[in-house]
Amino acid sequence: MELFRNTNIDFLGKKWYFLAFSLVFSVAGLISMGARYAKTGTAVPLGVDFKGGTLVYVKFAQTPNLGDIRAAMDRSGLKDPKIQTYGGPANNEVLIALEQKETSEQALDAGKNTIIKALETNPASGKNDLNNVGSTTIRDYLMSKDPLHEVVDPGAKYQQIASQIVDYRDKERGGVLSSVDELQGHVPADVVNALKTDYFTSGFGVRNVEIVGPQVGKQLSNQALLATLYSLGGMLVYLWFRFELIYGIGAVVACFHDTIITVGAFSLLNRDISLTVVAAILTLIGYSMNDTIVVYDRIRENIKLLRRESLADIVNKSINQTLSRTILTSGLTFLTVLSLYVFGGEVLRGFSLALVIGILIGTYSSIAVAAPMLVAYQEWRGHRGTAALPGPAPRKNDRVKVKA
């Protein structure tokens, strides 16, 4: 399918506009990263994956007020937590990220209990929160009260009832009971009455707690950086063998340009760089490289066919000839990642945002950065008196002369 026919856009004639565009966004991102590094010691906002910390997933019975949650955290001494909703709006779920980096089991329980106490705005005096206890606690309580007067293996009986209560709460009620009376009809009435004596239900439940240690975070950070550099190096070598070194350099510079602008955008928007964002950056590197190779391949073919034309004209024609393919492929991919960004929820927001920015910048760089570099290289060689065609080494009777 051809979206455009016989286009003749002078892309190289607009190279200074392209250069200005790239400089503005690259420099803005670098300034933001430099300012952040001077203030915090890290160039970009890192997620818990890299700097270590505690992630607490909380589900609320009603729509949570993030301002109230933040105020409750501050009152409890949990400074600067990152609080964000995740999942669909109807899920009423919030992710709280703390910079608590201890990895022991006791520290995990302590962090969880601190958050539970901070969120309990009006706890019942002397009672336990049924939404934030496990089956073992419920079993031990029922064994001490023995509401069913079990004489044969009460431990097994009350363990079964405690598991039924937790399963009903977590699987059927999403982790939050609105009242103890909700258990009526699911467990014996005497058990419900016993629980009502010493239990109440808060408006929230902690669904999960995860801890990433600082050492693991540092290792992940180093591995993410190495993965990015290795991918760029591998592609440079591949293009060096398939085309020539200048093609590989041009493609790697374009990918580096895409990465700087994307990471700079995350710094400007104060969005955390997580492992999923690194995965998105590696994806966009591959996507941008593929786009660039398509244009390079057409340039290489045209160099053999249009022997009397200048390299600038050949590059312009090649970009125009591949424009339909570029717009269609990039446009459809962009719509896909944009849908992911809009409807994918908070968990995928960083990943999809990196792809939304990366697809736009990657498409732009394959046209406005990678291809013009070949012409700039040719002109530089011409000024040195060693004009050479940046294409594959031609055969003796197939040598091409191109005006610089």
Side-chain angles (χ1 to χ4, degrees):
M1 178 180 178
E2 243 187 304
L3 192 63
F4 307 109
R5 288 182 181 275
N6 303 321
T7 57
N8 189 26
I9 303 172
D10 182 14
F11 288 99
L12 290 182
K14 300 172 179 57
K15 61 184 177 183
W16 298 116
Y17 296 105
F18 293 147
L19 181 61
F21 177 87
S22 295
L23 280 177
V24 166
F25 282 92
S26 299
V27 171
L30 290 172
I31 289 175
S32 174
M33 287 189 280
R36 184 180 296 277
Y37 183 81
K39 184 178 180 181
T40 65
T42 58
V44 291
L46 297 176
V48 173
D49 297 351
F50 294 123
K51 64 182 180 183
T54 304
L55 294 176
V56 182
Y57 299 82
V58 187
K59 180 177 177 61
F60 289 82
Q62 305 294 328
T63 304
N65 185 311
L66 300 188
D68 291 344
I69 295 174
R70 186 176 300 283
M73 296 293 111
D74 289 343
R75 284 196 298 271
S76 298
L78 300 172
K79 301 297 182 184
D80 298 325
K82 287 187 177 296
I83 302 171
Q84 64 184 48
T85 58
Y86 73 99
N91 291 344
N92 298 332
E93 294 175 316
V94 171
L95 171 62
I96 302 173
L98 304 173
E99 292 192 7
Q100 176 184 334
K101 300 176 182 177
E102 292 84 355
T103 57
S104 66
E105 193 71 25
Q106 292 80 3
L108 188 149
D109 288 338
K112 173 183 174 182
N113 292 331
T114 302
I115 288 178
I116 291 173
K117 288 182 179 178
L119 295 177
E120 285 179 344
T121 55
N122 189 23
S125 178
K127 292 187 176 183
N128 295 318
D129 183 3
L130 191 57
N131 284 329
N132 289 294
V133 293
S135 62
T136 301
T137 303
I138 298 173
R139 181 204 61 190
D140 293 344
Y141 172 78
L142 293 176
M143 287 183 66
S144 67
K145 297 296 182 181
D146 195 15
L148 300 180
H149 307 292
E150 287 288 325
V151 293
V152 179
D153 198 3
K157 179 64 177 178
Y158 288 127
Q159 177 61 56
Q160 179 189 1
I161 294 175
S163 298
Q164 287 177 336
I165 293 172
V166 172
D167 286 348
Y168 175 73
R169 180 192 69 191
D170 293 344
K171 294 179 181 177
E172 298 190 36
R173 305 303 301 166
V176 182
L177 295 172
S178 59
S179 73
V180 179
D181 285 328
E182 274 194 70
L183 296 174
Q184 295 284 4
H186 298 281
V187 295
D190 290 339
V191 170
V192 177
N193 292 331
L195 289 173
K196 288 168 69 175
T197 304
D198 292 303
Y199 279 87
F200 76 104
T201 54
S202 63
F204 67 92
V206 174
R207 303 301 309 276
N208 192 20
V209 181
E210 298 175 359
I211 287 182
V212 178
Q215 187 61 34
V216 173
K218 186 177 180 181
Q219 289 176 356
L220 290 174
S221 177
N222 292 335
Q223 288 171 351
L225 179 62
L226 289 175
T228 306
L229 294 178
Y230 286 157
S231 65
L232 288 173
M235 292 177 185
L236 172 63
V237 172
Y238 167 72
L239 289 177
W240 187 355
F241 279 100
R242 179 170 174 182
F243 298 93
E244 273 193 4
L245 179 59
I246 182 59
Y247 285 81
I249 293 174
V252 168
V253 167
C255 288
F256 193 71
H257 159 277
D258 302 341
T259 305
I260 288 292
I261 290 181
T262 304
V263 174
F266 270 73
S267 179
L268 287 167
L269 297 173
N270 196 31
R271 299 298 300 263
D272 286 348
I273 301 287
S274 63
L275 280 176
T276 58
V277 173
V278 173
I281 290 174
L282 291 174
T283 302
L284 77 88
I285 286 175
Y287 179 88
S288 176
M289 187 67 72
N290 181 62
D291 238 16
T292 302
I293 287 175
V294 169
V295 177
Y296 277 176
D297 220 24
R298 183 58 59 93
I299 292 173
R300 186 174 61 171
E301 291 173 2
N302 284 338
I303 284 175
K304 296 176 182 177
L305 297 174
L306 308 172
R307 302 183 177 190
R308 296 184 179 277
E309 296 195 21
S310 69
L311 182 59
D313 291 338
I314 292 175
V315 169
N316 257 332
K317 284 187 177 179
S318 301
I319 296 174
N320 278 286
Q321 289 170 357
T322 56
L323 194 59
S324 284
R325 177 265 172 205
T326 301
I327 298 298
L328 279 172
T329 306
S330 300
L332 292 174
T333 309
F334 177 76
L335 289 177
T336 303
V337 297
L338 184 63
S339 301
L340 196 62
Y341 178 74
V342 174
F343 303 111
E346 191 60 38
V347 175
L348 294 176
R349 192 58 53 81
F351 176 81
S352 53
L353 176 62
L355 287 179
V356 165
I357 299 172
I359 295 299
L360 290 174
I361 296 299
T363 304
Y364 157 81
S365 69
S366 65
I367 294 174
V369 177
M373 278 196 66
L374 300 181
V375 181
Y377 171 78
Q378 180 76 6
E379 291 175 348
W380 175 74
R381 293 292 300 266
H383 289 311
R384 288 169 57 90
T386 54
L389 181 68
R395 293 170 295 186
K396 184 176 179 180
N397 57 355
D398 194 25
R399 193 169 294 276
V400 180
K401 294 181 180 179
V402 179
K403 296 177 182 177

